[in-house]
Amino acid sequence: MTDTRSLLATLLSQAAEDAGATLSTDEARDLLTEPPRREMGDIAFPCFVLSKQLRTSPAAIATTLCDAIAGAVSDAPALGGVNAAGPYLNFTVDSAYHAAGVLRAATDEGYGRGSEGEGQTIGIDFSSPNIAKPFGIGHLRSTSIGNALGNIFRMLGYRVVGINHLGDWGTQFGKLMFAYESWGNEEALVKDPITHLYDLYVRFHKAAEEDETLLDEGRAWFKRLEDGDEQATAYWQRFRDLSLREFERIYERLGVSFEHYWGEAYYNDMLAPLVEDLDRAGLTEVSDGAVVVDMSELDMPPCLIVKADGATLYATRDLAAARYRYEQLQFKQFLYIVGAEQTVHFRQVFEVLRRMNYSWAEDCHHIPFGRIHGISTRKGTLVFLDDILNKGKERVAEIMADKPFSDQERELITEQVTVGAVLFYDLSRNRIKNYDFDWDLMLRGLRPGESGQTGPYLQYTHTRLASLERQYIETHGELPDPAAVDYALLGEDAARALITHIEKFPELLRHAARDYEPAQVSRYAIEIAELFNSFYSGGHKVVSEDRALSAARITLANATRRTLATSLGLLGVPLPARM
RNA sequence: GCGCUCGUAGCUCAGCUGGAUAGAGCAUCGGACUUCUAAUCCGACGGUCGCAGGUUCGAAUCCUGCCGAGCGCGCCA
């Protein structure tokens, strides 16, 4: 517990100074860790750093400090004892005192909420699908990671502004228009816009392999669009609207939303002024007819600003977007949730911003992530995320076939389990890693006798916890007041381990935010579920005749359930009422 | 060729930013349902942390080189 650690820091600092060393309470507090095994104690203090100052072995220092503070430790109600173990000083905390502090906090509504972000804005550019292509598996990661990070930062008090940087501009639009003019079909477009647009896109590229002049046709159409041509603009509006409607359906399915749909096209009017400013600042030069910012001193290829035909590029729009976003949001940080393959692009963009002397350039961060493999693709065909989810849903439904749910409830649960499985799997490894899309791994634990570190496992654990609360209420009435519970009844190892873990939740959120790493929350959720299931299956009946014991245990269960639910909520994993 | 990222148990992954015997899940083997959802739990087996050097009292963690994999390298996004 926080004040317990502060108390220890004060004691240690004092004792160290009496022994002739310099150690501030803050330093002492930072050094506190946990012993590798529970039997050794609850909090540990390593004496290595003092060894240089005192020119003695760490072990000897541990013994000295142990003697020095033993009295104070035994007087403190929060502490159980202290002993020296080699170079470490191990403390045990008073179980009941500790449990009371942790569980009173964790049964409160806003457990884990922080205030460090108050008054600060974080912008997140995430998901950002390309209109000319279907929403495929490749967009899943940006969407899930961006959403989770946004949730985490909101939890810490930040104002989070999610921006969907829709790929609704660029040469690929020109290609699409040319393709529609050549082979398009109004009927097919209305019936299934995404598929039709995608078919056109594929057909274009196939045809372009035979006849390279088509690429010029595409570029020409895009140039028309940029010049405000009426026909091109009408196509653009149409394609965009139809695609967006489709995307919104998927976002709803995934439980994701955005503050703004500021696509690439949104910044069109800001491009010319940007290029002027770059010129005026003397950052640009002409190379092979294109306007570029040279990056050779950083061993990077030049950043392309304007193509030889006068049209703009991705980087141009990202630069204009960055300026606009800062004007609008005055962000403290801006995060670009984009795949690792675009690392160089963002380095270039941030470098240009830096050369333009924007102090906030250093607050822009590319948050890269690895790729998903293993989706069987017929050659040249992307697989729609929607179809993938539906396929998974069939598997889930099959496994759940013998569960006694109504059709309506079954439909809801299978959807929640499927989405939860995919999102959790995606967020369960450090984001930089590549992974294979594999239903067997995502759904492991769904079948009786199986188990696994999966979304369904967590959802199941949560439903059990909720079920316990219902049964407690049936048996004993309302849930107990956490202030009036006898926490000495939670002294078992399994309970103490769980309490210690619940205590770490607020700190965990800060780490996850610091590292932009939702997987830390995922792992935490797995751990808390495993600790609870271990307690639950270890012969500790929660709801029993024993009123006081039941009250203590249901308070622990409630704190666990809330913490687990908050964690899963941050990750976007839905919580079925029953499973 | 150059650059970035990754390499930990048969498989999928952690390892709190150098510290006490490297941890989980899956798989394998052996256990636990007349008891709050066994979609669970308990135990066993399993690792020269890619290789070789270096820094340090101490390295999976930091540095260098090599090997392997993924990605990127001017008018796509």
Side-chain angles (χ1 to χ4, degrees):
Chain A
M1 199 186 321
T2 311
D3 41 40
T4 304
R5 288 186 168 236
S6 299
L7 169 66
L8 281 179
T10 310
L11 290 176
L12 286 163
S13 167
Q14 189 59 50
E17 307 218 337
D18 290 348
T22 312
L23 183 75
S24 73
T25 52
D26 283 346
E27 284 167 335
R29 198 175 193 290
D30 285 343
L31 285 169
L32 293 174
T33 58
E34 264 173 72
R37 279 170 303 139
R38 172 150 299 282
E39 314 85 81
M40 302 168 88
D42 300 300
I43 302 175
F45 178 78
C47 300
F48 302 100
V49 284
L50 297 177
S51 147
K52 264 180 196 145
Q53 289 187 47
L54 299 176
R55 307 169 131 270
T56 333
S57 77
I61 294 167
T63 311
T64 308
L65 293 182
C66 184
D67 292 344
I69 61 180
V73 167
S74 67
D75 289 344
L79 296 170
V82 57
N83 65 80
Y88 286 86
L89 218 46
N90 290 332
F91 300 90
T92 52
V93 301
D94 181 81
S95 165
Y97 187 93
H98 184 233
V102 173
L103 296 184
R104 278 176 200 159
T107 46
D108 201 61
E109 201 49 56
Y111 184 56
R113 217 162 267 289
S115 58
E116 56 257 55
E118 251 167 52
Q120 300 175 55
T121 298
I122 292 193
I124 306 185
D125 171 335
F126 72 110
S127 193
S128 309
N130 202 317
I131 295 254
K133 297 177 189 168
F135 195 101
I137 193 73
H139 294 109
L140 174 65
R141 302 218 72 192
S142 175
T143 308
S144 61
I145 293 168
N147 183 242
L149 287 177
N151 290 338
I152 290 167
F153 279 109
R154 276 188 199 96
M155 189 84 188
L156 295 177
Y158 291 89
R159 167 179 169 244
V160 172
V161 179
I163 298 173
N164 193 325
H165 192 62
L166 239 31
D168 60 1
W169 205 251
T171 308
Q172 86 276 4
F173 254 84
K175 295 175 182 174
L176 202 57
M177 288 174 198
F178 175 78
Y180 188 75
E181 283 265 312
S182 309
W183 315 299
N185 175 325
E186 169 68 21
E187 208 178 308
L189 184 65
V190 172
K191 195 171 164 224
D192 188 351
I194 297 281
T195 305
H196 188 55
L197 290 177
Y198 182 56
D199 287 345
L200 290 173
Y201 186 80
V202 171
R203 182 159 176 186
F204 177 89
H205 280 280
K206 211 168 170 187
E209 277 176 30
E210 315 266 302
D211 179 3
E212 291 197 358
T213 64
L214 293 191
L215 295 174
D216 293 330
E217 298 279 1
R219 289 192 194 103
W221 266 99
F222 177 53
K223 189 70 172 66
R224 279 176 70 177
L225 182 62
E226 282 220 311
D227 293 341
D229 175 88
E230 200 173 315
Q231 178 64 54
T233 306
Y235 276 141
W236 174 78
Q237 192 68 49
R238 186 96 200 281
F239 296 163
R240 185 182 191 274
D241 287 351
L242 289 170
S243 301
L244 199 49
R245 207 172 303 158
E246 191 72 8
F247 292 158
E248 279 174 337
R249 233 194 60 242
I250 293 176
Y251 290 135
E252 196 176 336
R253 215 175 161 180
L254 297 177
V256 173
S257 62
F258 302 86
E259 273 65 31
H260 303 288
Y261 280 89
W262 289 342
E264 292 188 58
Y266 188 81
Y267 305 99
N268 280 343
D269 296 345
M270 309 169 205
L271 299 180
L274 172 84
V275 175
E276 274 172 39
D277 288 349
L278 285 170
D279 287 340
R280 199 171 306 132
L283 295 175
T284 55
E285 57 189 66
V286 176
S287 164
D288 293 336
V291 178
V292 307
V293 177
D294 181 69
M295 299 258 154
S296 54
E297 65 184 73
L298 293 174
D299 278 332
M300 284 196 291
C303 182
L304 274 281
I305 304 296
V306 184
K307 297 197 284 189
D309 69 1
T312 58
L313 291 116
Y314 186 35
T316 327
R317 280 166 242 137
D318 258 344
L319 288 165
R323 296 211 300 188
Y324 178 77
R325 289 159 172 175
Y326 187 74
E327 263 170 41
Q328 294 297 309
L329 307 178
Q330 306 285 306
F331 52 75
K332 173 78 178 172
Q333 284 188 66
F334 197 93
L335 311 180
Y336 293 82
I337 319 296
V338 182
E341 62 276 6
Q342 291 189 41
T343 301
V344 174
H345 164 74
F346 284 107
R347 279 200 193 143
Q348 291 179 329
V349 169
F350 299 159
E351 173 62 14
V352 173
L353 293 174
R354 195 188 65 75
R355 290 189 195 173
M356 292 178 88
N357 289 321
Y358 292 127
S359 60
W360 46 267
E362 64 190 39
D363 301 321
C364 295
H365 304 292
H366 174 214
I367 310 300
F369 52 81
R371 304 164 71 90
I372 303 179
H373 299 124
I375 279 290
S376 58
T377 56
R378 281 160 296 165
K379 57 180 174 187
T381 329
L382 287 175
V383 181
F384 292 33
L385 182 58
D386 224 29
D387 294 336
I388 295 171
L389 289 177
N390 290 338
K391 208 166 160 189
K393 211 167 159 182
E394 283 172 27
R395 281 185 181 240
V396 175
E398 205 176 300
I399 297 168
M400 296 208 343
D402 55 347
K403 289 278 183 174
F405 297 132
S406 70
D407 288 351
Q408 197 189 342
E409 194 179 8
R410 183 183 306 278
E411 161 60 24
L412 178 61
I413 295 170
T414 44
E415 175 73 10
Q416 288 176 319
V417 169
T418 306
V419 169
V422 172
L423 287 178
F424 186 80
Y425 192 74
D426 189 81
L427 295 171
S428 63
R429 68 206 61 241
N430 288 342
R431 57 177 211 289
I432 198 65
K433 303 232 180 186
N434 299 337
Y435 73 87
D436 289 334
F437 195 93
D438 184 336
W439 282 115
D440 287 331
L441 294 179
M442 291 189 237
L443 296 175
R444 188 157 272 154
L446 259 190
R447 288 192 171 78
E450 275 186 0
S451 61
Q453 297 170 326
T454 62
Y457 170 77
L458 298 173
Q459 291 172 321
Y460 175 67
T461 302
H462 185 266
T463 60
R464 272 178 147 183
L465 283 157
S467 166
L468 285 179
E469 290 179 13
R470 284 195 297 270
Q471 289 180 41
Y472 180 90
I473 289 167
E474 263 178 43
T475 314
H476 295 295
E478 284 181 20
L479 290 179
D481 176 0
V485 164
D486 181 2
Y487 290 97
L489 298 171
L490 297 175
E492 302 99 338
D493 283 350
R496 296 188 60 182
L498 185 51
I499 291 164
T500 300
H501 200 252
I502 291 171
E503 178 184 20
K504 291 177 191 159
F505 187 57
E507 189 190 4
L508 161 94
L509 293 180
R510 289 203 302 276
H511 284 173
R514 178 196 62 191
D515 299 336
Y516 310 110
E517 193 61 89
Q520 293 184 17
V521 178
S522 307
R523 251 170 265 129
Y524 180 87
I526 287 289
E527 286 156 4
I528 197 172
E530 285 178 342
L531 287 168
F532 172 75
N533 282 326
S534 181
F535 173 79
Y536 176 89
S537 305
H540 307 108
K541 195 159 166 67
V542 176
V543 181
S544 66
E545 298 300 310
D546 187 333
R547 211 181 166 87
L549 185 62
S550 295
R553 287 181 175 168
I554 201 66
T555 302
L556 175 60
N558 182 254
T560 305
R561 206 208 84 237
R562 286 172 178 275
T563 309
L564 180 58
T566 303
S567 302
L568 294 180
L570 293 174
L571 299 171
V573 173
L575 298 174
R578 294 202 295 161
M579 279 178 78

